[in-house]
Amino acid sequence: MEKITEKVLLEKGSPKTGKLEQIETLNLSKMGLQLQDLPVKLLSRLRSLERWDLSGNRLQDFHKSLELPALRFLDLSDNQMEDVTTLESLVGLEELKMDDNLYITVSDNYKLMVLLPNLRIYNGKDVSTTANHLRYVYSDNLRTRIIAVWEKSFSLPDPITAEKLVALETSFVSTARQQVKFGPSSVSDFTKWKVEIMAKEYLRSLTDPDSKEESADAKENEGISTPVKRKQTESESNTSIRLTPRKKLRSDLPASPLQESPRKSSLRIKTLTETAATVRMSPRKTSQPPSTPSRGRPRAERSCKEDGAQTKQRQEGGKKQQKTSQLQRDDDMIHAIKSLKNTQQPVQLKPLHVLQCHSKQDKPEDFSTQLWACAFQPLPDSSGGGGSRLVATCGGDSVCVIDCETGMVMKKYKVSGEEFFSLSWSTVLMSRGGKASAQHCSILAAGGKRGLVKLIHPRNNVAYGEFRASRKSLSVLRFNHQQGNFLFTGSYDNKIVLWDIGGVDSQYNFKVVQLLMLEVSANPLHICLPPTSPSTHLLTACEDGLHCYNTQLGTNSNTKRSEEMEITFPIYKKEDKDHDYHTIDGLSFLNDDIVASKNYMHGSIYLWSWSRTKAQRPDKKTRTVCAVVLAELQWADTEIPYLALNTCPGRAYVVCGDNKGRLWTYHITNLQINNFQTGKAIQPTEVLEWPTPMRDGLSQLEGPSINNVAMDPELHYLAALSDKNMVIVWKRDESS
């Protein structure tokens, strides 16, 4: 056996480097190693280690104190492992091999799935479904039984002393281990182990209310009824369409029978040549984005009255406090701006391509199909570049993946009878069978009118699956960016559901489990997950306001939850019978704390602080908190709903289209501090005019409504979607 030294690690690691901190892959297989041969202090320097092969050694357990934050793959096959709980510090593991360890039992396998929260591939198989069932559903059942044991036979001592608590814990844990029976006898060791941990945590929660119990899981969804997406008005033709009055019509989508399973169609592009010219009127649909807001008036009136009463009280007793709050707001905004990248200059964008790739039956004269959602493919952590030039778009019966540089439609996925409203990118693990390690693959989820989520692997041209998320239309899909197999879907039955879609194997087999359901008071239009805590909170922009939910699995045994609080805005105080500002039709995080949101009919975009808003105590009766507004951005004066904004955190940009084909861009670091202090709305950095595309034989097109925009992380490209079946790609002018 060779002693493990820094020299040995550098020789057996890759890439070849002179620093342990830069090693990403390490092969220490078949060296006869035992636990004492692994120096913790030395190995702890492997901060970038992602893959570690320890197969063919004599390890019986592992160092509990060894933390390797980047480790994703570990091979411990052909060892003598007995105590798998010693692996609990390797919380980032996604793939683990434990073949040919004679002492490993089924209970040990279950322990690993619970201890390692990101474990997806175990011994070459996708165990996502089993793992999440154990982490949530199984644990939830155990917790119910543990609480029943406590309530039947135990109570806290009076007075509480350390000695009494120790004796109580010993007795309670012992009784729970004996009485709590659940699951097959083959995993009784796992059940007793888990019960002991949960019983101790439950007792701790009773004596220390601030401590949180370990996770109880959400129940599996047996009858697939899940989140639904947003609805859309049907297209109409109208030749007199200049500045249409506010749309109060909202026609629900007709129930559509299920069509045949998804199929890809051959891709075709229709690129329009761009020329700058005067705008001419052309026939234009009067129908606007999905369902114009028509919320129930009683809620709006109630909110207005409550806000008014609270405002009056504050005015009577707190004018000094208002001045202090204003100063604090200014300080907040100054601090927030400094936290962004102040060294960057505003970018110059020029129109590059206009594509008509979602046409019905590929007809070039189709200017009625509305396009709804777009998103750039996220770059894999290990990628050096290139992926962020691919943008996915959806509208009508198709989903397209477009190369923004060339203007080529690389992939096209078409489903007859479907109308796609939303899509979202993610990265999941694909197992390849045998002893081959799993690979990360980029997938796309899309959904719409029929309530089905389609799962697509664009690189391999495979639409590999679908599942029913709702009996009604799906309005929004959003993956958890930290846990790529967790997908939120929002639907027109006023529900948001969290799904675990797991990974896929080499034959594209997959399993879907419902983990959580949120009851929403109105149609969800946008879903945002806080960048730093995507697994604990969810913000949803709805037709009746902005709502916040606790989505942390395991802290609440209830798999159906109501909102934690509603976030209100100053514009609500100006509501009357003709103006209802509660519909939030734009929502996106600008950085870890600053949120950009847009209230329909307001004509401004709010920038507000998530952390300071969340820190407030909600009103006991209404469960509302007022957003801590940092600034307002001046936007178009229009009454057209559902023109969604988006942000580019990497470049500190907010962009929102309007109803005339223009893009309003805001480079936040370019704003002057005195503008915040005067309370005036911030002017846009630049308004990009409609490029007025033309094609032979057709008249010029007047600027359409821009339903959505997306930017790659460094704002090399911007894609905008219109309600006239056009994808407009803008490119950054590198010479500017």
Side-chain angles (χ1 to χ4, degrees), residues 46 48 104 121 241 370 414 434 465 498 529 532 534 547 620 652 719:
L46 300 169
S48 300
I104 298 300
I121 306 297
I241 38 73
Q370 299 201 49
K414 198 168 184 178
L498 172 59
L529 305 176
T532 57
H547 305 277
K620 290 183 179 179

Side-chain angles (χ1 to χ4, degrees), residues 497-546:
V497 179
L498 172 59
W499 306 91
D500 180 2
I501 66 166
V504 295
D505 63 18
S506 57
Q507 302 300 315
Y508 287 100
N509 296 310
F510 70 102
K511 293 182 180 179
V512 178
V513 178
Q514 178 180 311
L515 299 177
L516 188 66
M517 179 179 292
L518 306 176
E519 301 285 353
V520 190
S521 54
N523 293 335
L525 303 177
H526 299 280
I527 289 175
C528 267
L529 305 176
T532 57
S533 56
S535 298
T536 59
H537 287 88
L538 176 145
L539 293 175
T540 177
C542 298
E543 291 187 345
D544 70 340
L546 180 60

Side-chain angles (χ1 to χ4, degrees), residues 607-678:
L607 295 182
W608 52 279
S609 168
W610 160 240
S611 63
R612 289 186 174 273
T613 302
K614 179 167 62 82
Q616 299 177 82
R617 181 174 298 178
D619 181 272
K620 290 183 179 179
K621 293 183 178 179
T622 62
R623 300 296 300 166
T624 60
V625 298
C626 189
V628 179
V629 176
L630 305 173
E632 286 188 42
L633 311 179
Q634 181 183 343
W635 183 66
D637 183 13
T638 178
E639 294 186 345
I640 303 299
Y642 309 132
L643 307 181
L645 61 82
N646 214 327
T647 58
C648 180
R651 284 280 168 173
Y653 256 79
V654 178
V655 179
C656 189
D658 65 11
N659 62 318
K660 298 180 181 179
R662 300 174 298 186
L663 296 175
W664 297 60
T665 70
Y666 310 85
H667 184 222
I668 303 303
T669 58
N670 195 38
L671 307 179
Q672 299 298 319
I673 298 300
N674 61 357
N675 286 338
F676 307 137
Q677 295 175 337
T678 58

Side-chain angles (χ1 to χ4, degrees), residues 35-52:
L35 183 65
Q36 59 267 28
D37 301 322
L38 298 178
V40 174
K41 187 174 181 180
L42 191 63
L43 294 170
S44 295
R45 293 171 56 188
L46 300 169
R47 310 303 289 176
S48 300
L49 183 63
E50 296 180 3
R51 301 179 64 83
W52 192 4

Side-chain angles (χ1 to χ4, degrees), residues 463-527:
Y464 68 87
E466 69 178 37
F467 66 94
R468 174 161 293 285
S470 176
R471 294 295 172 185
K472 297 213 173 172
S473 301
L474 297 174
S475 56
V476 58
L477 281 69
R478 178 61 60 90
F479 277 105
N480 181 329
H481 53 271
Q482 286 186 2
Q483 196 147 4
N485 53 304
F486 280 11
L487 172 66
F488 287 96
T489 59
S491 54
Y492 278 99
D493 55 0
N494 299 349
K495 288 183 176 64
I496 295 176
V497 179
L498 172 59
W499 306 91
D500 180 2
I501 66 166
V504 295
D505 63 18
S506 57
Q507 302 300 315
Y508 287 100
N509 296 310
F510 70 102
K511 293 182 180 179
V512 178
V513 178
Q514 178 180 311
L515 299 177
L516 188 66
M517 179 179 292
L518 306 176
E519 301 285 353
V520 190
S521 54
N523 293 335
L525 303 177
H526 299 280
I527 289 175

